[in-house]
Amino acid sequence: MGIRDIPVVATGPGSQPVESDGAQLDYIALPKGMSMYEAPVIPEPDTVRHLEGARAAMRWLRGALAEYRPDGAPQLADLSALDTDSRDLVNQILGEGEVSIKVAGEPRAAIQESVLAGVWRIFFYDADDRLVGDLLEVATVPRLVRWARPSEKKVSELAPADPPEGVMNGQAILTELDEHCATHRPEDPPHAINVTLLPRSPADITYLDETLGRGSVEILSRGYGDCQVISTRVPNLWWVRYFNSMGTQILNSLEVTDIPAVACAATEDLRASGGRLSSILEPYWPDDVPDPGHGLVP
């Protein structure tokens, strides 16, 4: 028998006959993708070497990364006075990383982590959505996130005396949170309640959401799926929700901590950012000496 005589048999979805009862075989959808580090694409060196504003900003950033200490002074630079060309170059060098933060208030702030872990751009806006400030910060998490604390409310002060009909474990969860929030100290490990694994009703989730409310900070961390971190009206109490790459919620928890770890850059990653930045800048300003300076970029 020759190769032409071998019958070709189709396989895969749609190749099999339909069952007599009309049942269809469902295939699990594959992940759509994940965020990962990509080196920024920036112009040819000869076209941007003359941009002294961008050069000063990057010289400061190299120094700030080299001298960063978790318990040290804030590492902040004001980029508000940069000329347009220098600002465009800084934007291209830093790019957009995995973590985005919104801080409500007056003025409002939008914060974007760069492709370099622990390097943040902080944009301030007035009531008319005009940009009024542009800061560059080196930190595991921007200090503004730590300062944007809600008023000193206790969980017990927010909980209604009688829960709505259908609530199963909502009151017990609030009682546990009240105890841990009242005694929390900055050096304490996080205390998390995994709501996903508890017996609960839809009324429980609504009850917890409405009782704890929403604070001024909302964080989105993108990676293999997304993680949404939202502050509540109680200090040091956060909603932490994980979604897989298909947008399905896979974990819903309440966490008592200063800042959830998922929103913070790891210290070792932050230190690695210094080497990455040096590699990026090598073709442009190879002779620059890192200089943290005073945090004001001309």
Side-chain angles (χ1 to χ4, degrees), residues 18 26 29 40 97 99 142 148 176 180 210-211 226 244 257 293:
V18 178
D26 291 329
V99 181
E176 181 177 343
H180 283 273
E210 293 179 351
T211 300
D226 293 337
N244 64 18
T257 185

Side-chain angles (χ1 to χ4, degrees), residues 76-145:
L76 286 161
D78 188 350
L79 305 186
S80 302
L82 283 181
D83 61 89
T84 300
D85 289 339
S86 288
R87 187 184 305 280
D88 288 343
L89 179 58
V90 168
N91 291 342
Q92 287 179 292
I93 291 173
L94 297 182
E96 292 190 0
E98 294 182 357
V99 181
S100 303
I101 305 173
K102 294 180 181 179
V103 180
E106 191 60 44
R108 293 177 295 105
I111 304 173
Q112 177 64 54
E113 188 181 30
S114 74
V115 294
L116 304 171
V119 177
W120 308 84
R121 292 291 295 280
I122 306 170
F123 303 99
F124 292 95
Y125 297 90
D126 63 15
D128 297 321
D129 287 333
R130 292 175 297 197
L131 183 67
V132 295
D134 180 358
L135 300 183
L136 182 63
E137 182 173 2
V138 174
T140 55
V141 69
R143 300 222 171 193
L144 179 61
V145 176

Side-chain angles (χ1 to χ4, degrees), residues 58-290:
M58 294 301 98
R59 186 187 300 123
W60 175 89
L61 181 55
R62 291 178 70 180
L65 285 167
E67 298 198 2
Y68 172 78
R69 300 293 181 272
D71 55 352
Q75 299 278 14
L76 286 161
D78 188 350
L79 305 186
S80 302
L82 283 181
D83 61 89
T84 300
D85 289 339
S86 288
R87 187 184 305 280
D88 288 343
L89 179 58
V90 168
N91 291 342
Q92 287 179 292
I93 291 173
L94 297 182
E96 292 190 0
E98 294 182 357
V99 181
S100 303
I101 305 173
K102 294 180 181 179
V103 180
E106 191 60 44
R108 293 177 295 105
I111 304 173
Q112 177 64 54
E113 188 181 30
S114 74
V115 294
L116 304 171
V119 177
W120 308 84
R121 292 291 295 280
I122 306 170
F123 303 99
F124 292 95
Y125 297 90
D126 63 15
D128 297 321
D129 287 333
R130 292 175 297 197
L131 183 67
V132 295
D134 180 358
L135 300 183
L136 182 63
E137 182 173 2
V138 174
T140 55
V141 69
R143 300 222 171 193
L144 179 61
V145 176
R146 300 186 186 277
W147 293 338
R149 296 170 56 86
S151 58
E152 296 292 331
K153 290 283 188 181
K154 296 181 179 180
V155 176
S156 56
E157 295 173 346
L158 299 173
D162 298 314
E165 184 178 352
V167 171
M168 296 170 52
N169 286 314
Q171 282 187 302
I173 292 172
L174 292 179
T175 299
E176 181 177 343
L177 292 171
D178 190 45
E179 293 175 357
H180 283 273
C181 288
T183 60
H184 176 76
R185 299 293 179 269
E187 63 275 11
D188 292 344
H191 177 78
I193 298 178
N194 189 338
V195 180
T196 306
L197 297 181
L198 293 176
R200 69 198 185 283
S201 66
D204 278 312
I205 302 300
T206 302
Y207 175 64
L208 293 171
D209 263 326
E210 293 179 351
T211 300
L212 299 176
R214 178 167 292 200
S216 59
V217 179
E218 183 173 341
I219 304 170
L220 177 63
S221 178
R222 297 177 296 272
Y224 193 68
D226 293 337
C227 178
Q228 184 186 62
V229 180
I230 302 174
S231 64
T232 68
R233 290 188 290 172
V234 180
N236 304 315
L237 180 56
W238 304 78
W239 280 106
V240 181
R241 294 171 171 134
Y242 287 87
F243 301 82
N244 64 18
S245 61
M246 292 167 282
T248 302
Q249 187 181 104
I250 56 176
L251 177 65
N252 188 14
S253 66
L254 283 157
E255 193 167 319
V256 180
T257 185
D258 287 359
I259 306 289
V262 68
C264 303
T267 301
E268 55 269 26
D269 289 341
L270 197 148
R271 298 194 191 287
S273 291
R276 284 179 173 174
L277 180 63
S278 295
S279 299
I280 294 170
L281 299 180
E282 179 65 25
Y284 297 86
W285 304 293
D287 299 327
D288 276 358
V289 176

